[in-house]
Amino acid sequence: MPLNPDQDAALAQVRAIALELPEAEERPSHGQPTFFVAGKQFAQFRHDHHGDGRTIVAVKTADDEEGPNLIGIAPETYSKVAYFGVGWVGIALAGPDVDWDFVGDRIARSWELAAPRRLLEAGGR
């Protein structure tokens, strides 16, 4: 499904945040814009994935319990990520009130969880 201007702007913002991180690269995965560091996925932009009607960025979580806890606390912001299972959470990117500093921090944190030790030891982000 084509992106409307708001969704296109959300993808551009996610892309700018993700690609600013050391050694980050973008390539499609299952038709979705996906971001990797050292071959490991750390974020994926999704719009209406399999007709779910949502625009999100999927990011890694610190452990298997963080995602369900976040969804329980703020279900309007966080969601399960179809086909990713535990260890990932979706962050809503719809609407005018997206806190891009918050989203950027979550993407960077996800990068840290995927990045090789050599990048983290060199100062990371």
Side-chain angles (χ1 to χ4, degrees):
M1 172 178 262
L3 300 178
N4 70 34
D6 289 338
Q7 295 149 352
D8 194 44
L11 172 56
Q13 189 76 0
V14 167
R15 184 175 279 139
I17 292 165
L19 294 178
E20 185 177 284
L21 297 163
E23 297 187 24
E25 64 175 319
E26 178 183 353
R27 61 180 188 262
S29 179
H30 300 278
Q32 306 299 307
T34 306
F35 303 90
F36 296 83
V37 60
K40 291 185 180 178
Q41 183 174 327
F42 69 90
Q44 185 177 78
F45 179 86
R46 289 183 170 190
H47 168 66
D48 198 29
H49 190 256
H50 294 287
D52 68 7
R54 299 180 301 154
T55 301
I56 67 163
V57 62
V59 294
K60 295 175 81 55
T61 58
D63 57 45
D64 293 348
E65 294 179 16
E66 183 182 15
N69 289 339
L70 292 170
I71 293 166
I73 293 167
E76 66 286 346
T77 301
Y78 295 101
S79 60
K80 287 184 177 182
V81 181
Y83 308 105
F84 275 32
V86 295
W88 289 85
V89 69
I91 301 172
L93 300 177
D97 298 329
V98 175
D99 181 345
W100 285 106
D101 289 335
F102 168 76
V103 172
D105 186 59
R106 289 300 310 208
I107 291 171
R109 191 164 160 235
S110 186
W111 176 91
E112 289 171 345
L113 293 167
R117 177 170 276 152
R118 68 177 171 75
L119 288 177
L120 299 175
E121 290 173 349
R125 58 178 170 131

